[in-house]
Amino acid sequence: MAEEKGFFRRLVSGLTKTRDNIVSGMDSIFHGFSHIDEDFYEELEEVLIMGDLGVAATEDILDDLRAKVKEQHIKEPSNCRQILIDSIKEQMDVGETAYEFEERTSVVMVVGVNGVGKTTTIGKLAGKLRAQNKKVILAAADTFRAAAGEQLREWANRAQAELIGGQEGSDPAAVVYDAVQAAKARHADVLLCDTAGRLHNKKNLMEELRKMNRIIDREYPEAFRETLVVLDATTGQNALQQAKEFKDVADITGIILTKMDGTAKGGIAVAIQAELGIPVKYIGVGETIDDLQKFDADTFVDALFAVSPDREEEQ
């Protein structure tokens, strides 16, 4: 519980720039308008889109708001604030099945372009799983990036997880093959694969991912499969574009958003989920292992709007 509260505080401070960007703009609309009209909705729309919530999510949120204003005969703009907050939460709810891979023997492929914090994120994820007493094996299959293997080795040591591969320039699919054999032999709970992140040549990437997937399907058919893409929240709409491109070449089952603490574009978490239908599963708000946490829509939106997480208890 203390860890959760600590994370909430970090998330609140991490989302300061986003809050200044989105929430202050919205609040000035709620308080600046004396009644609800088309201009009111248009101003809100502009603030949400500028805050990187994306066109699709913004339209859905505003449609929901219009319907509820009508239904509940709301006259005061300030009474729309809570409805808007609840609507954003609804947009982002991913349900309970999002972390099924933690409970099963599974292979988790992690993709993402260089520079988004992919290898670090895998290390943190390994640490989290180890803290649950899971047996974790890491596959260093991003063999094209210099130092990726070394970086992963450091995290493997820190998390007390076994590392397979790590030779620069070796065949990524061969690393995955070896890692699958090791995972089976040692009865690992989770095999985490750090895979290539070169999007500029989609054909090669597609072929490589296909090859890896074929190996896992053939050698480890009983394993539950998860493919996560790591995105840098500070890049906003660019991150959304990357997610779309990875979705074209792989069966992406979830998103990990890093660097949420340094961005004014935290609204991208809403946009990605709404536009792609892919859930954000983890968010990172800093450098330490505890700064990667499971994504919870309620917590995120409360932190964005700086609503106390203890509000229920206080009422």
Side-chain angles (χ1 to χ4, degrees):
M1 201 58 215
E3 186 195 342
E4 276 176 32
K5 276 193 180 163
F7 182 70
F8 183 81
R9 272 195 294 274
R10 286 199 298 278
L11 192 54
V12 169
S13 73
L15 287 170
T16 302
K17 288 182 185 170
T18 300
R19 187 160 44 251
D20 291 347
N21 193 8
I22 304 175
V23 180
S24 59
M26 274 173 30
D27 283 348
S28 69
I29 295 168
F30 291 142
H31 298 117
F33 275 79
S34 55
H35 59 285
I36 298 167
D37 58 12
E38 264 320 297
D39 288 346
F40 167 77
Y41 287 122
E42 269 176 32
E43 294 260 337
L44 265 184
E45 181 177 34
E46 193 173 316
V47 167
L48 292 173
I49 289 174
M50 295 298 283
D52 275 294
L53 268 82
V55 177
T58 296
E59 281 178 0
D60 288 346
I61 289 163
L62 288 178
D63 285 350
D64 190 47
L65 180 63
R66 283 173 191 268
K68 284 178 178 153
V69 162
K70 210 169 172 183
E71 213 173 273
Q72 297 169 29
H73 308 293
I74 293 165
K75 299 280 180 277
E76 290 294 318
S78 56
N79 293 342
C80 293
R81 191 180 198 267
Q82 192 54 48
I83 294 173
L84 202 78
I85 291 173
D86 293 339
S87 179
I88 293 172
K89 285 180 181 178
E90 276 166 35
Q91 281 284 321
M92 305 195 70
D93 186 34
V94 298
E96 283 301 298
T97 56
Y99 305 98
E100 198 177 338
F101 76 92
E102 290 188 2
E103 307 309 320
R104 301 177 50 178
T105 301
S106 58
V107 177
V108 181
M109 306 258 287
V110 186
V111 297
V113 300
N114 292 341
V116 295
K118 175 167 61 87
T119 303
T120 305
T121 298
I122 291 167
K124 289 179 183 176
L125 198 49
K128 289 211 154 324
L129 292 164
R130 287 290 297 119
Q132 298 171 33
N133 289 322
K134 304 278 185 205
K135 189 166 190 150
V136 179
I137 288 181
L138 297 172
D142 185 357
T143 59
F144 291 91
R145 184 166 76 82
E150 272 316 299
Q151 206 184 344
L152 200 58
R153 189 176 302 284
E154 272 175 42
W155 277 104
N157 293 340
R158 214 177 292 180
Q160 296 172 310
E162 188 177 345
L163 180 76
I164 305 292
Q167 297 311 112
E168 201 183 321
S170 57
D171 177 13
V175 174
V176 168
Y177 178 87
D178 289 346
V180 164
Q181 303 313 321
K184 288 198 296 189
R186 310 200 203 344
H187 302 290
D189 295 301
V190 181
L191 168 59
L192 286 175
C193 302
D194 185 3
T195 62
R198 297 170 337 286
L199 254 181
H200 55 269
N201 189 337
K202 273 208 232 175
K203 198 170 170 299
N204 281 4
L205 177 68
M206 206 166 179
E207 203 34 63
E208 205 170 283
L209 290 170
R210 260 202 208 115
K211 215 163 144 191
M212 291 181 198
N213 279 317
R214 275 201 303 270
I215 287 166
I216 299 164
D217 289 344
R218 188 184 67 223
E219 300 292 326
Y220 210 7
E222 67 275 24
F224 182 78
R225 303 292 300 280
E226 186 86 35
T227 304
L228 304 175
V229 61
V230 181
L231 302 168
D232 175 345
T234 61
T235 62
Q237 290 296 312
N238 233 349
L240 178 62
Q241 191 50 40
Q242 280 174 26
K244 281 180 177 159
E245 292 187 18
F246 273 114
K247 193 183 178 194
D248 288 345
V249 298
D251 179 21
I252 302 293
T253 55
I255 309 272
I256 301 177
L257 268 179
T258 63
K259 308 184 191 179
M260 284 296 264
D261 50 328
T263 182
K265 301 171 186 290
I268 200 65
V270 187
I272 286 170
Q273 211 144 294
E275 295 204 14
L276 299 183
I278 301 173
V280 175
K281 295 198 178 184
Y282 293 90
I283 50 172
V285 290
E287 293 307 309
T288 73
I289 209 153
D290 289 335
D291 292 325
L292 181 74
Q293 292 278 354
K294 284 182 181 173
F295 181 80
D296 176 81
D298 285 0
T299 306
F300 175 82
V301 179
D302 285 346
L304 180 57
F305 286 86
V307 180
S308 163
D310 303 321
R311 64 200 181 288
E312 285 90 357
E313 294 156 31
E314 288 163 9
Q315 282 170 7

